[in-house]
Short mmCIF file of all heavy atoms in Angstrom, two decimals:
data_model
loop_
_atom_site.label_atom_id
_atom_site.label_comp_id
_atom_site.label_asym_id
_atom_site.label_seq_id
_atom_site.Cartn_x
_atom_site.Cartn_y
_atom_site.Cartn_z
N LEU Y 1 -2.48 -16.28 5.18
CA LEU Y 1 -1.95 -16.93 6.37
C LEU Y 1 -0.97 -16.08 7.18
O LEU Y 1 -0.58 -16.49 8.27
CB LEU Y 1 -1.29 -18.26 5.98
CG LEU Y 1 -2.23 -19.26 5.31
CD1 LEU Y 1 -1.47 -20.51 4.91
CD2 LEU Y 1 -3.40 -19.61 6.23
N ALA Y 2 -0.58 -14.93 6.68
CA ALA Y 2 0.36 -14.07 7.40
C ALA Y 2 -0.32 -13.50 8.64
O ALA Y 2 -1.23 -12.68 8.53
CB ALA Y 2 0.86 -12.96 6.49
N ASP Y 3 0.10 -13.94 9.81
CA ASP Y 3 -0.52 -13.53 11.07
C ASP Y 3 -0.31 -12.05 11.38
O ASP Y 3 -1.08 -11.47 12.15
CB ASP Y 3 0.02 -14.35 12.23
CG ASP Y 3 -0.41 -15.80 12.17
OD1 ASP Y 3 -1.46 -16.10 11.57
OD2 ASP Y 3 0.32 -16.64 12.72
N ASP Y 4 0.74 -11.47 10.83
CA ASP Y 4 1.06 -10.08 11.17
C ASP Y 4 0.47 -9.07 10.18
O ASP Y 4 0.79 -7.90 10.23
CB ASP Y 4 2.57 -9.90 11.28
CG ASP Y 4 3.34 -10.40 10.07
OD1 ASP Y 4 2.72 -10.98 9.16
OD2 ASP Y 4 4.57 -10.22 10.05
N LEU Y 5 -0.41 -9.53 9.28
CA LEU Y 5 -1.06 -8.63 8.33
C LEU Y 5 -2.56 -8.59 8.56
O LEU Y 5 -3.16 -9.59 8.93
CB LEU Y 5 -0.80 -9.08 6.89
CG LEU Y 5 0.61 -8.97 6.36
CD1 LEU Y 5 0.67 -9.52 4.93
CD2 LEU Y 5 1.11 -7.53 6.39
N GLN Y 6 -3.13 -7.43 8.32
CA GLN Y 6 -4.58 -7.26 8.33
C GLN Y 6 -4.99 -6.75 6.96
O GLN Y 6 -4.16 -6.33 6.16
CB GLN Y 6 -4.99 -6.26 9.41
CG GLN Y 6 -4.79 -6.78 10.82
CD GLN Y 6 -5.67 -8.01 11.09
OE1 GLN Y 6 -6.85 -8.02 10.79
NE2 GLN Y 6 -5.07 -9.04 11.66
N SER Y 7 -6.27 -6.77 6.71
CA SER Y 7 -6.77 -6.39 5.38
C SER Y 7 -6.34 -4.98 4.98
O SER Y 7 -6.15 -4.71 3.80
CB SER Y 7 -8.29 -6.51 5.34
OG SER Y 7 -8.88 -5.65 6.27
N SER Y 8 -6.16 -4.10 5.95
CA SER Y 8 -5.74 -2.73 5.61
C SER Y 8 -4.34 -2.70 4.99
O SER Y 8 -4.01 -1.76 4.27
CB SER Y 8 -5.77 -1.84 6.86
OG SER Y 8 -4.90 -2.35 7.86
N HIS Y 9 -3.54 -3.72 5.23
CA HIS Y 9 -2.18 -3.76 4.68
C HIS Y 9 -2.13 -4.30 3.26
O HIS Y 9 -1.18 -4.05 2.54
CB HIS Y 9 -1.28 -4.62 5.58
CG HIS Y 9 -1.21 -4.12 6.98
ND1 HIS Y 9 -1.61 -4.89 8.05
CD2 HIS Y 9 -0.83 -2.94 7.49
CE1 HIS Y 9 -1.44 -4.20 9.16
NE2 HIS Y 9 -0.98 -3.01 8.85
N TYR Y 10 -3.15 -5.05 2.85
CA TYR Y 10 -3.12 -5.71 1.55
C TYR Y 10 -3.02 -4.72 0.40
O TYR Y 10 -2.27 -4.93 -0.55
CB TYR Y 10 -4.33 -6.63 1.36
CG TYR Y 10 -4.46 -7.71 2.40
CD1 TYR Y 10 -5.71 -8.19 2.74
CD2 TYR Y 10 -3.37 -8.25 3.06
CE1 TYR Y 10 -5.87 -9.19 3.70
CE2 TYR Y 10 -3.50 -9.24 4.01
CZ TYR Y 10 -4.76 -9.70 4.33
OH TYR Y 10 -4.90 -10.68 5.28
N ALA Y 11 -3.80 -3.65 0.46
CA ALA Y 11 -3.77 -2.66 -0.62
C ALA Y 11 -2.38 -2.05 -0.75
O ALA Y 11 -1.90 -1.81 -1.87
CB ALA Y 11 -4.80 -1.57 -0.37
N PHE Y 12 -1.71 -1.84 0.37
CA PHE Y 12 -0.35 -1.29 0.33
C PHE Y 12 0.61 -2.27 -0.30
O PHE Y 12 1.42 -1.90 -1.16
CB PHE Y 12 0.11 -0.90 1.75
CG PHE Y 12 -0.57 0.31 2.28
CD1 PHE Y 12 -1.72 0.20 3.04
CD2 PHE Y 12 -0.09 1.58 2.00
CE1 PHE Y 12 -2.37 1.32 3.53
CE2 PHE Y 12 -0.72 2.71 2.47
CZ PHE Y 12 -1.88 2.59 3.24
N ILE Y 13 0.53 -3.53 0.10
CA ILE Y 13 1.42 -4.54 -0.48
C ILE Y 13 1.17 -4.69 -1.98
O ILE Y 13 2.12 -4.73 -2.77
CB ILE Y 13 1.28 -5.89 0.26
CG1 ILE Y 13 1.89 -5.75 1.67
CG2 ILE Y 13 1.95 -7.03 -0.51
CD1 ILE Y 13 1.77 -6.96 2.54
N LEU Y 14 -0.09 -4.74 -2.37
CA LEU Y 14 -0.41 -4.85 -3.80
C LEU Y 14 0.15 -3.67 -4.58
O LEU Y 14 0.77 -3.85 -5.63
CB LEU Y 14 -1.93 -4.94 -4.00
CG LEU Y 14 -2.58 -6.26 -3.58
CD1 LEU Y 14 -4.10 -6.10 -3.51
CD2 LEU Y 14 -2.20 -7.39 -4.52
N ALA Y 15 -0.05 -2.46 -4.08
CA ALA Y 15 0.42 -1.26 -4.79
C ALA Y 15 1.94 -1.19 -4.84
O ALA Y 15 2.52 -0.84 -5.87
CB ALA Y 15 -0.16 -0.01 -4.12
N ILE Y 16 2.59 -1.53 -3.75
CA ILE Y 16 4.06 -1.47 -3.70
C ILE Y 16 4.68 -2.54 -4.59
O ILE Y 16 5.67 -2.28 -5.29
CB ILE Y 16 4.55 -1.59 -2.24
CG1 ILE Y 16 4.13 -0.34 -1.45
CG2 ILE Y 16 6.06 -1.80 -2.18
CD1 ILE Y 16 4.19 -0.51 0.06
N CYS Y 17 4.10 -3.73 -4.60
CA CYS Y 17 4.62 -4.79 -5.47
C CYS Y 17 4.34 -4.50 -6.94
O CYS Y 17 5.14 -4.88 -7.80
CB CYS Y 17 4.02 -6.14 -5.07
SG CYS Y 17 4.64 -6.78 -3.50
N ARG Y 18 3.23 -3.85 -7.23
CA ARG Y 18 2.88 -3.51 -8.61
C ARG Y 18 3.85 -2.48 -9.18
O ARG Y 18 4.18 -2.51 -10.35
CB ARG Y 18 1.44 -2.98 -8.66
CG ARG Y 18 0.90 -2.74 -10.04
CD ARG Y 18 -0.59 -2.40 -10.10
NE ARG Y 18 -1.09 -1.55 -9.04
CZ ARG Y 18 -1.83 -1.97 -8.01
NH1 ARG Y 18 -2.16 -3.23 -7.89
NH2 ARG Y 18 -2.25 -1.13 -7.08
N GLU Y 19 4.32 -1.57 -8.32
CA GLU Y 19 5.24 -0.53 -8.77
C GLU Y 19 6.29 -0.26 -7.69
O GLU Y 19 6.20 0.70 -6.93
CB GLU Y 19 4.46 0.76 -9.08
CG GLU Y 19 5.26 1.80 -9.80
CD GLU Y 19 4.45 3.04 -10.10
OE1 GLU Y 19 3.23 2.93 -10.34
OE2 GLU Y 19 5.06 4.12 -10.08
N PRO Y 20 7.30 -1.14 -7.61
CA PRO Y 20 8.35 -0.97 -6.60
C PRO Y 20 9.07 0.37 -6.78
O PRO Y 20 9.30 0.83 -7.90
CB PRO Y 20 9.31 -2.13 -6.88
CG PRO Y 20 8.50 -3.13 -7.61
CD PRO Y 20 7.51 -2.34 -8.43
N GLY Y 21 9.38 0.99 -5.65
CA GLY Y 21 10.12 2.24 -5.69
C GLY Y 21 9.25 3.48 -5.72
O GLY Y 21 9.76 4.59 -5.76
N ARG Y 22 7.96 3.30 -5.68
CA ARG Y 22 7.08 4.48 -5.72
C ARG Y 22 7.17 5.22 -4.39
O ARG Y 22 7.53 4.66 -3.37
CB ARG Y 22 5.66 4.06 -6.03
CG ARG Y 22 5.03 3.21 -4.97
CD ARG Y 22 3.73 2.61 -5.38
NE ARG Y 22 2.99 3.48 -6.25
CZ ARG Y 22 1.88 3.18 -6.86
NH1 ARG Y 22 1.37 1.99 -6.69
NH2 ARG Y 22 1.24 4.02 -7.62
N SER Y 23 6.81 6.48 -4.43
CA SER Y 23 6.90 7.30 -3.22
C SER Y 23 5.67 7.10 -2.36
O SER Y 23 4.62 6.64 -2.82
CB SER Y 23 7.01 8.79 -3.60
OG SER Y 23 5.79 9.27 -4.12
N GLN Y 24 5.81 7.46 -1.09
CA GLN Y 24 4.67 7.38 -0.18
C GLN Y 24 3.57 8.33 -0.64
O GLN Y 24 2.38 8.03 -0.48
CB GLN Y 24 5.11 7.69 1.25
CG GLN Y 24 5.95 6.60 1.85
CD GLN Y 24 6.26 6.82 3.32
OE1 GLN Y 24 7.04 6.07 3.86
NE2 GLN Y 24 5.69 7.78 3.98
N GLU Y 25 3.95 9.45 -1.22
CA GLU Y 25 2.96 10.40 -1.74
C GLU Y 25 2.15 9.77 -2.87
O GLU Y 25 0.94 9.94 -2.95
CB GLU Y 25 3.67 11.67 -2.22
CG GLU Y 25 2.72 12.80 -2.51
CD GLU Y 25 3.46 14.11 -2.74
OE1 GLU Y 25 4.25 14.50 -1.88
OE2 GLU Y 25 3.20 14.72 -3.79
N ASP Y 26 2.81 9.03 -3.75
CA ASP Y 26 2.10 8.31 -4.82
C ASP Y 26 1.13 7.28 -4.24
O ASP Y 26 0.02 7.11 -4.74
CB ASP Y 26 3.08 7.59 -5.76
CG ASP Y 26 3.84 8.54 -6.67
OD1 ASP Y 26 3.42 9.70 -6.82
OD2 ASP Y 26 4.86 8.10 -7.23
N LEU Y 27 1.57 6.59 -3.20
CA LEU Y 27 0.70 5.61 -2.55
C LEU Y 27 -0.55 6.28 -1.98
O LEU Y 27 -1.65 5.77 -2.14
CB LEU Y 27 1.44 4.87 -1.44
CG LEU Y 27 2.48 3.84 -1.87
CD1 LEU Y 27 3.31 3.39 -0.68
CD2 LEU Y 27 1.81 2.66 -2.54
N ALA Y 28 -0.36 7.42 -1.35
CA ALA Y 28 -1.51 8.15 -0.78
C ALA Y 28 -2.49 8.53 -1.87
O ALA Y 28 -3.71 8.37 -1.72
CB ALA Y 28 -1.02 9.40 -0.05
N ARG Y 29 -1.97 9.00 -2.98
CA ARG Y 29 -2.83 9.41 -4.10
C ARG Y 29 -3.57 8.20 -4.69
O ARG Y 29 -4.77 8.26 -4.91
CB ARG Y 29 -1.96 10.10 -5.17
CG ARG Y 29 -2.70 11.03 -6.06
CD ARG Y 29 -1.83 11.87 -6.99
NE ARG Y 29 -0.42 11.54 -7.12
CZ ARG Y 29 0.57 12.14 -6.44
NH1 ARG Y 29 0.31 13.09 -5.57
NH2 ARG Y 29 1.83 11.79 -6.63
N GLU Y 30 -2.86 7.12 -4.93
CA GLU Y 30 -3.50 5.94 -5.54
C GLU Y 30 -4.54 5.30 -4.63
O GLU Y 30 -5.61 4.90 -5.06
CB GLU Y 30 -2.47 4.88 -5.92
CG GLU Y 30 -3.14 3.66 -6.53
CD GLU Y 30 -2.21 2.51 -6.84
OE1 GLU Y 30 -1.01 2.74 -7.10
OE2 GLU Y 30 -2.69 1.37 -6.82
N LEU Y 31 -4.21 5.20 -3.35
CA LEU Y 31 -5.09 4.50 -2.42
C LEU Y 31 -6.14 5.42 -1.79
O LEU Y 31 -6.97 4.96 -1.00
CB LEU Y 31 -4.26 3.82 -1.32
CG LEU Y 31 -3.25 2.78 -1.82
CD1 LEU Y 31 -2.41 2.25 -0.67
CD2 LEU Y 31 -3.95 1.65 -2.56
N CYS Y 32 -6.08 6.70 -2.14
CA CYS Y 32 -7.05 7.69 -1.62
C CYS Y 32 -7.06 7.72 -0.09
O CYS Y 32 -8.11 7.63 0.55
CB CYS Y 32 -8.44 7.42 -2.16
SG CYS Y 32 -8.56 7.62 -3.94
N VAL Y 33 -5.87 7.80 0.48
CA VAL Y 33 -5.73 7.95 1.93
C VAL Y 33 -4.78 9.11 2.20
O VAL Y 33 -4.03 9.53 1.31
CB VAL Y 33 -5.21 6.65 2.60
CG1 VAL Y 33 -6.21 5.51 2.45
CG2 VAL Y 33 -3.86 6.24 2.04
N ASN Y 34 -4.80 9.61 3.42
CA ASN Y 34 -3.91 10.73 3.72
C ASN Y 34 -2.48 10.24 3.97
O ASN Y 34 -2.25 9.05 4.18
CB ASN Y 34 -4.45 11.59 4.87
CG ASN Y 34 -4.60 10.82 6.15
OD1 ASN Y 34 -3.74 10.01 6.52
ND2 ASN Y 34 -5.69 11.06 6.86
N LYS Y 35 -1.56 11.18 3.95
CA LYS Y 35 -0.14 10.83 4.06
C LYS Y 35 0.21 10.18 5.39
O LYS Y 35 1.07 9.31 5.46
CB LYS Y 35 0.72 12.08 3.83
CG LYS Y 35 0.63 12.59 2.42
CD LYS Y 35 1.41 13.88 2.25
CE LYS Y 35 1.18 14.49 0.88
NZ LYS Y 35 1.87 15.76 0.72
#
């Protein structure tokens, strides 16, 4: 129901909530996207 989110944001929210405090570089590696 969050109007300001799209499906592309869900993976980021899931990853950040799963491991709070991770670096953006770690997120890029886990999600297989560029920095």
Side-chain angles (χ1 to χ4, degrees):
L1 300 177
D3 292 334
D4 52 355
L5 291 178
Q6 291 297 313
S7 61
S8 60
H9 301 120
Y10 302 151
F12 288 93
I13 289 177
L14 288 166
I16 293 164
C17 289
R18 187 172 38 255
E19 192 179 327
R22 65 190 326 173
S23 71
Q24 289 187 187
E25 192 170 306
D26 287 343
L27 287 169
R29 204 171 11 263
E30 179 185 331
L31 300 176
C32 296
V33 295
N34 61 42
K35 293 176 188 177

